[in-house]
Structures are given as C-alpha cells and as structure tokens.
Amino acid sequence: MRPISLTRYLIEQQREHGHLNADLRLLIEVVARACKAISIAIGKGAIGGVLGSAGSENVQGEVQKKLDVLSNEILLEANEWGGHLAALASEEMDHPHAIPNRYPKGEYLLLFDPLDGSSNIDVNISVGTIFSVLRCPDGVAEPREEDFLQPGARQVAAGYAVYGPNTVLVLTTGHGVASFTLDREVGSFLLSERQMKIPAATREFAINMSNMRHWEPPMRRYIDELLAGKTGPRGKDFNMRWVASMVADVHRILTRGGIFIYPRDAREPDKPGKLRLMYEANPMSFIVEQAGGAATNGHQRLLELQPKALHERVAVFLGSREEVEVATRYHREAAGA
Ligand code: P6P
C-alpha cells in the first residue's frame, strides 16, 4: 500500500467531511512545511550555529534561544503570503502580527508556540512546535488582540510537531487525531496513524515533582495517592515521566496514555499556572479530547475558558480521562464545588 501523504490525507478528509476548505488545507500544509524547515535547523545542532541564547528576551521575560527566534521567523515568513490568514500570534511576539498589506488576507487566525521546551535544545532533548487555528470574527479586517480571545472550543484545527528521534506531526481538524512521520529523504509527512486514542486508564503521570512543596492541598492529595501506589487508596503502582517539554510529554500520553499536570503553585500565586492558554493548553486540549482524553484547569473543561489576554497562563490537567477526572474532582471538592 503506497504511503499516504499529508496532502492526500487532507484532500480525503475534505471529501469525507467537507470541513476543510482550500484555505484551511493550505494553512495546514504551510505550517507543516515550516515545521520541516524547523526540524532541519534543529537537526544541525551545534554544527548549525543555532544553539545557545539569542541574547534577547520574549514577552514572557524568558531568554530567547537562537532557535526560538529562527523558528518564529520561519513560521512568519511561511504564512504571510498565502492569503489564508487574517493575522497571526506567537509566544515570541508581544502583539499579534498583521499580514503585510501587499498580501491578501484570509479568514483564519493562526497562533503558535514556535519552539516549545527550547530550554531542552542545548541538551539535545525533544522539543516541538504547537499551533492553533481560529476563525477571524466576521467583518474584522485588521484583527487585534481581542479578536484572538476565543475559547479553545472554537478552534477549527490544532496540531504539533515533535522533533525527536523522528519528526512527527500530529493534527486534528475536529474529526479525530492523525499523526504523520517526516520522510527526510523525500521531504514529506507520511500518515503513520489515522486515529490516535488515549487509553481512559493509566499508571503513568507527568509532573515536575520538585515543585511539590508549593502545590495546593488537592494537588498534594492526588500525587500522594499515586506515590502510595498499591499500599494506598488507588490500589495500584504508578510510574512517572517528566521531559519538561510539553510536546514530548503530550506525545507520549497520546501514544500510550498518562496524565500531564502543570498546576498553579505558591511560587507565583498571582499566576494561575505556567503554561499559556492560547497556544499551548488550548491546542493540546483540543487534540487530547479528540483522542478520547480529557483536559481541565483543575476545575473546569479547559476548552470552555474565556481568554482575557493573549499570553495568559493556565493550570493544565490533561490526558487519560479517568485520572483527569480524579484530579479535577479533588480540586473541585477543595474549592467547595
Ligand atoms: P519546568 C517548557 O519551558 C514548558 O513551557 C513546557 O514545554 C514544559 O512542560 C514546562 O515548561 C516545563 O516546566 O518548570 O518543569 O521547567
């Protein structure tokens, strides 16, 4: 059986569901092509002169790696001219990026974290690109920040590329989750799985345990029970994985189950969490739900949150449905819900 390319898959999805118009198909293919270029840049490592700091800071006040800046530029340049976007937004840019007047505009808003987990770059650990697609509100010619502030349930597509031992693009357009593996010789993403499914039950959790003393009580309760294993109320032993690259951790969970947690903690009590809602939590939550998993902020379905700011942060509990439900129940009980 001939391998199925991303292009062919998208055309088949269009025929089957009729939800993928030409502009959305173009958007996905352009983003995939940009991820290919990012994968090649990352793959050069130290010999590519792309490692280390760029000597600048992003809107989050984080030191930018050279590859953060390069990945952002690759995605901007790839998406400006196609006529499929009304505007775009990135973790690396303070404000939305307007499509230059010399190019036509389209109906979609693209948001992305161009290189998530970039602190892992210099130690050769998997990193990734995360993207989210919304519709531009009708009648808005020059989208501003508030036009991006739509609940995650309004996404029309979302995906990520994980740059690991192989480069894999994972995509949902609202009809399940498919994965594509990059054939580096041909330069094409080839379909590797049509319908990724997250097992409802799991024995594997992903959280940064070094923050334990800063967690709220229901977070402590949930993790203490996992650590108690067979001897505790859960009656089974659990395993832990933490890559500190959300894309890598989420990809493992999509592949074999698990729960990923980045809770709020007392280190910065005014922040609801570390991860960003618009271009990390929302796209990953859309993908996880489409694969049969669940995603909350510890209290409610993450995709229903009404964003208030482009770079706002959120607590994230996502993955195997049964575990997300237990952890969320504990948080709701503690809040008296
Ligand atoms: P910590 C990477 O910086 C990131 O945004 C996510 O990809 C990852 O899950 C998390 O932060 C890691 O955070 O506190 O463990 O370094």
Side-chain angles (χ1 to χ4, degrees), residues 116-117 119 208 211 242 244-246 260 262 274-276 280:
D116 179 70
S119 57
N208 183 338
N211 300 326
W242 185 249
S245 234
M246 184 187 199
F260 172 96
Y262 211 111
K274 172 180 184 183
L275 301 180
R276 289 80 173 185
E280 289 176 340

Side-chain angles (χ1 to χ4, degrees), residues 185-322:
E185 286 155 18
V186 176
S188 295
F189 278 107
L190 303 180
L191 184 66
S192 28
E193 191 157 351
R194 250 184 208 285
Q195 283 288 0
M196 298 186 86
K197 287 292 177 200
I198 301 178
T202 184
R203 291 174 179 240
E204 198 157 69
F205 66 99
I207 193 168
N208 183 338
M209 291 293 289
S210 69
N211 300 326
M212 193 167 203
R213 66 185 184 284
H214 304 298
W215 296 339
E216 298 173 325
M219 192 70 259
R220 294 287 301 256
R221 174 187 173 195
Y222 176 72
I223 296 295
D224 284 344
E225 287 182 0
L226 301 190
L227 295 175
K230 274 207 271 285
T231 65
R234 302 304 307 272
K236 58 182 181 177
D237 288 342
F238 284 78
N239 188 31
M240 195 203 107
R241 287 284 180 274
W242 185 249
V243 182
S245 234
M246 184 187 199
V247 175
D249 281 314
V250 170
H251 190 67
R252 184 191 58 255
I253 288 167
L254 264 171
T255 307
R256 70 184 191 209
I259 180 170
F260 172 96
I261 304 174
Y262 211 111
R264 71 179 310 146
D265 68 46
R267 287 175 297 169
E268 297 186 271
D270 61 327
K271 280 186 186 169
K274 172 180 184 183
L275 301 180
R276 289 80 173 185
L277 174 60
M278 296 304 296
Y279 39 79
E280 289 176 340
N282 271 344
M284 289 308 202
S285 299
F286 185 21
I287 292 165
V288 161
E289 283 197 1
Q290 283 290 312
T296 73
N297 65 350
H299 298 276
Q300 68 182 90
R301 183 177 174 237
L302 212 143
L303 292 180
E304 288 170 357
L305 297 175
Q306 173 54 52
K308 298 177 186 62
L310 186 59
H311 299 292
E312 78 176 67
R313 298 170 189 263
V314 68
V316 179
F317 297 72
L318 61 77
S320 292
R321 179 167 293 282
E322 288 177 12

